[in-house]
Amino acid sequence: MSVIVQNCRTCGGQWFPARLLCPRCGGADLAPRSIERGVVEQLTHLGDVVIASVACDPEPLLVARLHGTVEAGDVVELTDRPDTSGRPVAFVPPSGRPREELS
Ligand SMILES: [Zn+2]
């Protein structure tokens, strides 16, 4: 599982969702990059739905629907297979290794 983000070959910025031009430098040399994990920064509970901002080493900052019980600082796995919300989904790692450093 992973999320495909754009990597700007000019400035190194990482973007999701895809853009026509890099928001930082205006460059058009954008290449796909696969990101498998991120660190939860903040959580928002909307009834039964949990939305998380997930930092990915350190860019991009993704907004994802979260499945599982985690806290800020926990590592989650990511997939761009959207659920019914249409947003990327962050999963608690099956191995259950919270607060692990990204490798
Ligand atoms: Zn750029």
Side-chain angles (χ1 to χ4, degrees):
M1 289 187 287
S2 64
V3 171
I4 304 299
V5 303
Q6 285 180 313
N7 176 39
C8 177
R9 290 180 174 159
T10 304
C11 74
Q14 311 280 335
W15 311 110
F16 183 89
R19 312 282 205 313
L20 290 175
L21 298 172
C22 175
R24 182 181 296 153
C25 73
D29 190 5
L30 301 168
R33 176 179 175 227
S34 176
I35 294 180
E36 296 179 357
R37 292 178 172 207
V39 177
V40 172
E41 288 202 341
Q42 294 184 326
L43 300 165
T44 299
H45 296 264
L46 303 170
D48 293 338
V49 175
V50 181
I51 304 296
S53 56
V54 181
C56 303
D57 195 24
E59 292 179 323
L61 184 65
L62 299 179
V63 175
R65 185 168 178 165
L66 185 66
H67 291 261
T69 303
V70 299
E71 298 176 4
D74 288 349
V75 174
V76 290
E77 294 185 3
L78 299 164
T79 178
D80 57 3
R81 185 188 66 215
D83 64 5
T84 55
S85 71
R87 292 189 176 277
V89 175
F91 289 94
V92 176
S95 57
R97 296 175 297 177
R99 299 182 187 280
E100 182 177 276
E101 292 295 321
L102 287 175
S103 57

